[in-house]
Amino acid sequence: MCGITGFFNRENAAELTLRALHILADRGKDGAGAAGNEWVEYADVPENLALPRDINIIGHTLHSMVNFTRQPLVYEGRFASNCEIYNWKELAETFRIDASNDSDMLVRLIEQRLHDDNVNTSDPTAVMQNISGTLDMLRGVYAFVYWREGVVYIARDIIGLKPLWYSLSEGFAFTSEKKALKATGYTDIKELNPREILAYGIQSGTVDRYTRNFFSISPQHEGTFEQMTEQVQQLLENAVNIRFPDEPFGILFSGGLDSTILAYMCKKLGKIPGKDFKCYSAGLKDVQEPPDIEYAKKVAESLGLELVVYQIDLEQVEEYLKTVVPLVEDTNVPKVGVALTMYTACKAAKEDGMRVMFSGSGADELFAGYDRHKRSTDISRDCYADILKIYEKNTYRDDVVSMYNNIEMRVPYLDKRFVEYGLKIPPEFKINGEENKLILRRVGERLGIPAEFTRRKKQAAQYGSRFDKAIDKLTRRTGYDTKTVYLKQFYEYPNLKLGVLFSSGKDSNYAMYIMQQQNYAIECLITIKSINPDSYMFHTPNIGLAQLQAESMGIPLIEQITQGEKETELEDLKKAILRAKQEFGIEGVVTGALYSNYQRERIERICDELGLKVFSPLWHIDQEKEMKQLLALGFRFIFSSVAAYGLNSKWVGRIITENDIARLVKLNEKIGLNVAGEGGEFESFVIDAPMYKKKIEIRELEVIELDEYTAKVAITDAVLVDKTEE
């Protein structure tokens, strides 16, 4: 698609714009442009732009798919976009707009509606509200800047398929890719929340935000399984149909359900000139063929699909990683493994001259396709959360990898209408005890895809391609301790700066450890000290000793007192998180949530309001697995309270062992007790962990037995000691 950037209230805005456009050059090779308040310049490449000295400039790199229209566009305001609006011709006809392409239609539509609705254009909030209504009409993906009357507006599509990053640390700056802001000297960089429109006042230097409405999971659709299957099929066929380009295209193809349905639909719907396509599969060249390539070949032969297989050996994997890891700006192992698979397939498609690829991304999130969904207590809520946060996990990776290869990625499963319908499908039509994506598998059957392929239980892309195995081999061959440490040689920066919601218990400690191991920078701990011992949100036993744990790790601790009243205590949590953002520049928050939707939803809502990402690495982890992993990694903890049948005062105040976990497993089998205490059966306190520089020695504690099955400990004396001391 395209790249956009802008710098405001910066003396060297011209220099910064050219530097950013150079970084964004792969996003658009068909031209470059820039504009100030009273001028606009175009060139074939960024290097040939002759920019006047100015303090406010927007820039653009062009990937032309529909008519050749240079940007920035200049009407009543200045406009630059990275967009693909699939219903732009219908909107142009409806509103009688003579537009050359989708970007041209969008800016004219914005301005026309501002006029028609008599909007006070000197009021940023009124303008943002009107723009939001305009965006609700669009079917497609976009990120854009609209600069008018001294105010700069930026927005992106509601799911967040098109990226947009910004910084307010020096004036105001934004770019399509985070690395472009880094290259221009910015460090305090935020990703624009897709549910927000941001307005920057150039003269005042102030920022206003407008929150757009997201999708809903209620009311659930009524009807039979077959009725809803038919509707899903029709909506998906429409989403595929409107995304057909006017030239040959590719499909990222793994032989799994999602990509097989897309490919077969394309074959059925695309029997007209110019709708030819090829399927592309990528994997490791090894002794044994990767599972995804094996299945891709079977499916392609059975359904009559043209397949291109692209395999690379171990040495090529390492060469590709030198490009992929800096490209995605992340050393998270699963994310890099998926990116490597996509990069390899896109590279093959680029060599064939493809400029558009279809992807099956989003189907797992929408239809409960992950293994963790099998342990979910609220499928609808989890699918909603997955779609809400997909921009944080997947879409930026996919966008930068495809655009590096000058390929536009189109994602039918994340079509707005399709998502809106899919989120309201009853959970029992998505997953049961044995199988996931039930309704999507039925769509495949209705299309005529053999059951061998519709029932396949597919591995994640990094495993199906065997690229995770390749990274593991390279790690061991080069002598690195872990895959993350191996990948860090290609990208030295931490992934993000995070704060940890820290309770002193095992879950928050373990969640923090996992994020550290994935190369995230832990800037501070955030502890809420509730006066109410029965708080709905917060851990209370021995919470004051979180300070000792923070000291052991050498990490600053933010403490916030709350009365612990239900719901109102969330305001205190928000104050603490905001303080962490202001004092330590955190970009996200880590939680130790396992299964509590009550806690997770409220934390996510607060972080959404503050523009922060949320990481819950333990979400829906197998509870027995978690407990065993903790001990295997060197975590040492006690139960600080128990409150469940089968437990008593003998469980508190002593270090938990493997034998104790075995006993908890038996209690789970017998009475359903949660092995990790997720049902409130027990609270824990960590005395040692891999990230502790010193361990905690409890010198005095009091066991308080409340009844036969309820007890707690009050730790009255604890100190830090060297780990070598016995």
Side-chain angles (χ1 to χ4, degrees):
M1 297 178 80
C2 302
I4 62 173
T5 190
F7 297 88
F8 291 84
N9 286 327
R10 292 299 305 272
E11 290 294 333
N12 59 339
E15 176 192 337
L16 297 175
T17 299
L18 290 173
R19 199 182 308 168
L21 289 176
H22 176 73
I23 300 295
L24 300 175
D26 286 318
R27 302 187 67 86
K29 297 181 179 294
D30 298 321
N37 190 45
E38 298 180 350
W39 57 269
V40 61
E41 292 286 338
Y42 302 116
D44 53 347
V45 292
E47 290 76 10
N48 291 340
L49 285 170
L51 304 187
R53 186 174 179 82
D54 206 337
I55 65 170
N56 301 311
I57 300 177
I58 61 173
H60 186 267
T61 58
L62 178 65
H63 179 74
S64 179
M65 292 298 301
V66 181
N67 299 329
F68 184 82
T69 303
R70 294 184 181 275
Q71 294 190 49
L73 295 163
V74 179
Y75 293 106
E76 292 180 32
R78 274 135 171 75
F79 180 86
S81 73
N82 168 20
C83 74
E84 191 69 28
I85 310 302
Y86 305 118
N87 62 336
W88 75 272
K89 291 182 179 179
E90 292 88 341
L91 288 171
E93 183 177 351
T94 299
F95 289 91
R96 299 181 180 179
I97 298 172
D98 182 19
S100 61
N101 66 3
D102 50 355
S103 293
D104 191 33
M105 184 283 302
L106 179 53
V107 63
R108 288 172 182 246
L109 180 59
I110 288 172
E111 294 191 341
Q112 181 173 310
R113 292 190 74 249
L114 288 171
H115 278 294
D116 291 348
D117 296 341
N118 295 313
V119 174
N120 178 6
T121 53
S122 63
D123 179 357
T125 300
V127 173
M128 288 190 288
Q129 183 175 4
N130 192 267
I131 289 176
S132 178
T134 302
L135 299 183
D136 288 342
M137 303 178 189
L138 307 182
R139 287 185 72 186
V141 295
Y142 51 84
F144 67 82
V145 53
Y146 180 55
W147 173 13
R148 176 181 182 145
E149 297 177 24
V151 181
V152 185
Y153 302 91
I154 60 172
R156 61 192 294 209
D157 61 272
I158 195 73
I159 293 176
L161 275 80
K162 290 293 104 185
L164 199 54
W165 301 79
Y166 70 95
S167 178
L168 293 161
S169 59
E170 292 185 75
F172 176 56
F174 63 86
T175 61
S176 292
E177 296 186 13
K178 187 178 182 181
K179 61 179 71 68
L181 281 181
K182 284 184 178 178
T184 50
Y186 287 86
T187 55
D188 184 17
I189 303 168
K190 310 295 182 188
E191 185 172 11
L192 181 67
N193 187 321
R195 271 79 65 189
E196 281 189 345
I197 300 174
L198 184 150
Y200 174 77
I202 297 174
Q203 186 171 358
S204 65
T206 57
V207 172
D208 294 296
R209 301 174 191 271
Y210 181 84
T211 302
R212 301 170 61 194
N213 292 325
F214 197 60
F215 305 102
S216 175
I217 59 175
S218 61
Q220 287 185 0
H221 298 308
E222 295 182 356
T224 66
F225 181 71
E226 282 300 317
Q227 288 171 335
M228 289 189 211
T229 300
E230 183 176 357
Q231 185 67 13
V232 167
Q233 182 175 338
Q234 289 178 1
L235 286 168
L236 186 57
E237 286 178 346
N238 177 259
V240 169
N241 199 40
I242 65 172
R243 283 166 173 76
F244 275 133
D246 294 323
E247 58 187 66
F249 62 97
I251 297 177
L252 289 173
F253 194 70
S254 66
L257 177 70
D258 311 332
S259 59
T260 297
I261 286 177
L262 286 186
Y264 203 54
M265 277 190 174
C266 286
K267 182 177 180 180
K268 288 182 61 180
L269 298 171
K271 294 183 177 180
I272 51 180
K275 304 300 189 233
D276 299 327
F277 68 92
K278 294 180 182 179
C279 298
Y280 291 86
S281 295
L284 178 67
K285 186 185 295 182
D286 204 358
V287 176
Q288 187 177 3
E289 192 166 58
D292 280 1
I293 289 180
E294 179 185 354
Y295 260 88
K297 288 179 177 179
K298 288 181 181 179
V299 175
E301 183 178 359
S302 175
L303 301 182
L305 304 171
E306 186 174 356
L307 177 67
V308 176
V309 174
Y310 199 81
Q311 290 178 269
I312 59 175
D313 59 29
L314 210 56
E315 283 65 34
Q316 288 173 294
V317 168
E318 188 157 52
E319 282 303 308
Y320 282 21
L321 286 173
K322 293 175 183 178
T323 298
V324 170
V325 178
L327 195 60
V328 299
E329 302 167 70
D330 205 320
T331 54
N332 178 284
V333 178
K335 184 177 286 188
V336 170
V338 174
L340 184 59
T341 307
M342 181 177 289
Y343 176 85
T344 306
C346 284
K347 188 174 176 63
K350 180 182 179 181
E351 291 175 2
D352 281 347
M354 300 297 179
R355 299 203 307 157
V356 173
M357 293 276 279
F358 278 27
S359 163
S361 178
D364 286 319
E365 288 79 4
L366 194 55
F367 295 106
Y370 294 115
D371 186 62
R372 57 179 164 79
H373 286 125
K374 297 175 183 177
R375 298 183 289 275
S376 172
T377 56
D378 191 336
I379 288 294
S380 294
R381 184 66 59 185
D382 282 341
C383 288
Y384 175 87
D386 285 345
I387 294 295
L388 185 78
K389 297 296 182 181
I390 196 170
Y391 81 97
E392 296 180 358
K393 300 175 181 178
N394 298 344
T395 61
Y396 184 59
R397 172 200 66 204
D398 298 352
D399 182 85
V400 295
V401 166
S402 60
M403 286 309 305
Y404 181 83
N405 288 287
N406 209 226
I407 287 174
E408 176 197 316
M409 196 64 66
R410 298 188 178 181
V411 192
Y413 289 113
L414 291 177
D415 175 81
K416 187 165 70 172
R417 291 183 186 175
F418 190 71
V419 169
E420 186 174 32
Y421 185 84
L423 286 174
K424 294 182 179 180
I425 294 173
E428 61 270 23
F429 292 170
K430 294 184 178 182
I431 192 169
N432 59 26
E434 299 177 356
E435 206 166 36
N436 57 15
K437 296 196 281 194
L438 299 173
I439 199 164
L440 201 58
R441 295 184 193 280
R442 179 62 187 137
V443 168
E445 292 172 359
R446 285 167 56 97
L447 289 170
I449 298 172
E452 176 188 2
F453 308 131
T454 62
R455 318 310 285 191
R456 180 193 171 195
K457 294 182 179 179
K458 183 183 172 296
Q459 295 177 302
Q462 66 270 29
Y463 304 119
S465 63
R466 291 265 168 82
F467 282 139
D468 184 79
K469 178 182 177 182
I471 295 172
D472 183 61
K473 282 186 174 181
L474 289 167
T475 300
R476 287 186 279 109
R477 190 172 78 176
T478 51
Y480 286 94
D481 293 335
T482 67
K483 289 182 279 189
T484 298
V485 174
Y486 166 73
L487 293 176
K488 282 175 68 174
Q489 67 178 304
F490 306 118
Y491 186 73
E492 61 185 16
Y493 305 99
N495 295 332
L496 287 176
K497 296 178 180 179
L498 305 179
V500 180
L501 295 183
F502 193 74
S503 70
S504 79
K506 61 178 178 59
D507 297 333
S508 59
N509 271 272
Y510 189 26
M512 178 182 69
Y513 173 77
I514 290 173
M515 299 310 294
Q516 284 179 319
Q517 293 304 298
Q518 294 179 1
N519 195 31
Y520 289 85
I522 305 301
E523 298 295 321
C524 66
L525 309 179
I526 305 166
T527 294
I528 309 298
K529 301 175 74 171
S530 175
I531 293 173
N532 176 11
D534 299 316
S535 166
Y536 280 82
M537 278 290 296
F538 307 118
H539 174 109
T540 57
N542 302 293
I543 191 66
L545 292 176
Q547 179 64 58
L548 205 58
Q549 295 169 316
E551 184 181 341
S552 172
M553 293 182 281
I555 300 175
L557 174 69
I558 289 176
E559 292 182 306
Q560 176 72 42
I561 303 294
T562 181
Q563 293 297 318
E565 296 174 2
K566 189 176 181 182
E567 298 302 333
T568 58
E569 62 189 353
L570 297 175
E571 286 303 313
D572 295 314
L573 175 61
K574 186 175 181 179
K575 289 177 186 176
I577 295 175
L578 178 59
R579 183 180 159 195
K581 179 180 178 180
Q582 293 171 339
E583 293 184 15
F584 297 99
I586 66 169
E587 301 162 271
V589 167
V590 182
T591 85
L594 272 73
Y595 287 86
S596 173
N597 275 306
Y598 178 88
Q599 289 182 328
R600 188 184 69 163
E601 287 173 21
R602 284 153 178 79
I603 292 168
E604 287 182 346
R605 184 168 66 242
I606 289 171
C607 289
D608 232 27
E609 293 171 2
L610 297 177
L612 298 171
K613 300 182 179 182
V614 179
F615 297 86
S616 302
L618 304 181
W619 188 247
H620 287 168
I621 190 174
D622 179 86
Q623 295 190 48
E624 179 182 349
K625 180 180 179 181
E626 185 214 10
M627 295 291 275
K628 289 181 176 179
Q629 285 177 342
L630 283 165
L631 295 191
L633 289 167
F635 284 81
R636 299 293 177 260
F637 55 92
I638 66 170
F639 286 175
S640 51
S641 69
V642 294
Y645 176 76
L647 303 178
N648 55 38
S649 60
K650 294 181 180 178
W651 281 86
V652 299
R654 60 178 178 78
I655 296 176
I656 298 302
T657 66
E658 291 182 7
N659 288 336
D660 292 321
I661 294 173
R663 291 169 64 190
L664 292 171
V665 170
K666 288 182 179 179
L667 285 170
N668 170 265
E669 294 169 352
K670 183 178 179 181
I671 61 174
L673 178 140
N674 286 282
V675 177
E678 182 62 14
E681 291 90 342
F682 57 81
E683 301 278 9
S684 60
F685 177 76
V686 174
I687 62 172
D688 195 10
M691 61 279 193
Y692 285 23
K693 298 179 179 67
K694 292 187 176 184
K695 64 182 180 180
I696 296 172
E697 181 181 284
I698 299 174
R699 292 183 172 176
E700 188 175 329
L701 60 79
E702 179 185 1
V703 176
I704 304 169
E705 188 171 4
L706 303 176
D707 60 41
E708 185 178 359
Y709 305 116
T710 308
K712 62 181 180 179
V713 296
I715 300 174
T716 54
D717 186 12
V719 296
L720 294 178
V721 299
D722 292 337
K723 291 194 176 190
T724 55
E725 292 184 15
E726 296 297 330

